[in-house]
Structure formats: structure tokens, C-alpha cells
Amino acid sequence: MDRFLHQRQAEGQGFAMVCGIDEAGRGPLAGPVSAAAVILPLDCEIDGLDDSKKLSELKREELFDVVIEKAISYGIGWASEREIDEHNILQATFLAMRRAVDAMQVTADYALVDGNCMPLLSIPGETIVKGDSKCACIAAASILAKVSRDRLLRELDKQYPEYGFAKHKGYGTKSHYEAIKKHGILPVHRKSFLKNLHEK
């Protein structure tokens, strides 16, 4: 598989700075949703680069540094728990993606976005279903988004050790639900995801 095919096609249409965009954290009960945008040099070789979900936490951490070193430019964007509750998770994810593009030091002129829903960006682009497995720049973005969010959740774990954020990263595990029932809903929880639970 040519994981630079879509980037090559976009560059063939005259776009010089093609970024891949992916998100992390749409499903959890707590914490923000993150997104990353990455411009890789065409045919850039990064050993082990893949969809972040297929990699171990240790491998993602290793690749995070390699991606940042080799990328022409990258940006990381966030949408908060409050914004998720206000706008819904899809619109909040789009907001994080726009912020990731805006955070890049080198401006992208075309976007390859993982999934089948195109966010409203300041640049043109296209969606690619399972893009994190098909496009190197989207895979790179998936790693930056996932590692950035996991690091944040480990910090939240220090603040709220009884909730186990370092382990479940905010996802709705049995232990997480039990912690919420025992200790209550936190400011970092997405209230719209917890409509069936009431604050203590």
C-alpha cells in the first residue's frame, strides 16, 4: 500500500503543504477531545508508523518524538469538556481539528481527514475512511493526538487519583463508573455523557 498516495494526488493538484488530521478521545466520559494536524515530507520513512490504536502505549510515546522531529509542521488542538457538552462531541471534535490546523507554524493548504465527516476548515480537503491505516500523515496525526491526550489524562490522575484516569484514560470502564458513583462527577467529566448519573 502506498501510504503517500493521497498526499501525492493532492500535491499533483498543486497543493504544496498537505496535512493529515485525526482526533483522539471522542468516546471517553472525561477529559477534552484532542486533534492533531501533521505535514510530513513526501515519502518520509518512519519505522513502525501506524494507526495509534494498533500500537502499544510505549511505541506511541516513541513515535511521538520521531513524528515531531520529522514533520515539516504539526499542530495540536483541543476542545474542552464544557465545549463537548455545549456543542456535542462531533462539533467539538471539528473545533479541535480547526484549532490543530491553526496551531501549525507552517500553514497547510490541503487536509486529509480521518473518517467520513469533513470539518469546516480554513483550507480545502477530503475525508478518508480508515485514513489512519491508509495515509502516513493521518497515522502521524493519530499518534500526536492520542499521546497528547493520554499525557493529559495521566496529569488528571495525579489530581484525582481515586478515579483511575491513568489506567482507563477517561473511558467508561466498570471501575470508572464505580468511582463516579462513589466519589461523584468531576468538573472534567462530560455531563452530557453522564445523563443517567446524578451528582452526589
Side-chain angles (χ1 to χ4, degrees):
M1 182 190 297
D2 180 1
R3 299 177 79 198
F4 286 89
L5 175 63
H6 292 86
Q7 182 173 338
R8 213 184 307 281
Q9 289 173 338
E11 291 189 9
Q13 294 170 28
F15 296 103
M17 291 292 165
V18 180
C19 71
I21 301 177
D22 202 1
E23 52 71 32
R26 282 182 63 168
L29 309 178
V33 62
S34 62
V38 180
I39 302 172
L40 288 180
L42 196 62
D43 297 322
C44 169
E45 288 292 332
I46 299 179
D47 189 40
L49 184 68
D50 205 343
D51 170 8
S52 65
K53 294 184 287 295
K54 297 178 182 176
L55 303 170
S56 68
E57 190 166 342
L58 180 62
K59 186 63 177 176
R60 286 195 299 264
E61 286 282 350
E62 290 175 1
L63 285 170
F64 182 94
D65 294 331
V66 178
V67 168
I68 284 176
E69 179 188 333
K70 295 202 172 185
I72 293 170
S73 186
Y74 71 93
I76 296 167
W78 304 85
S80 69
E81 305 85 0
R82 183 178 294 178
E83 287 170 326
I84 292 167
D85 289 339
E86 284 178 5
H87 302 298
N88 76 44
I89 185 59
L90 180 62
Q91 293 307 316
T93 300
F94 288 168
L95 183 59
M97 288 179 172
R98 286 197 293 275
R99 288 170 175 167
V101 171
D102 291 345
M104 302 177 84
Q105 290 185 320
V106 175
T107 305
D109 58 7
Y110 195 81
L112 302 173
V113 182
D114 184 58
N116 60 4
C117 295
M118 187 69 193
L120 185 62
L121 300 172
S122 56
I123 55 174
E126 64 186 281
T127 59
I128 302 172
V129 175
K130 298 190 188 227
D132 43 11
S133 296
K134 297 174 182 174
C135 296
C137 57
I138 296 179
S142 79
I143 288 166
L144 294 199
K146 174 68 173 161
V147 171
S148 297
R149 191 179 184 281
D150 283 356
R151 288 176 178 177
L152 180 69
L153 268 290
R154 287 198 291 272
E155 290 302 310
L156 287 181
D157 186 73
K158 295 175 187 175
Q159 196 173 346
Y160 306 106
E162 63 274 23
Y163 286 80
F165 288 127
K167 187 173 182 182
H168 55 63
K169 306 300 190 295
Y171 282 88
T173 62
K174 183 181 177 184
S175 65
H176 190 184
Y177 276 113
E178 287 172 351
I180 294 168
K181 288 173 183 173
K182 184 176 180 181
H183 302 291
I185 295 173
L186 295 170
V188 297
H189 277 115
R190 303 172 181 181
K191 309 299 186 292
S192 56
F193 282 44
L194 295 167
K195 287 176 180 174
N196 297 328
L197 292 173
H198 300 286
E199 293 189 42
K200 292 179 71 175

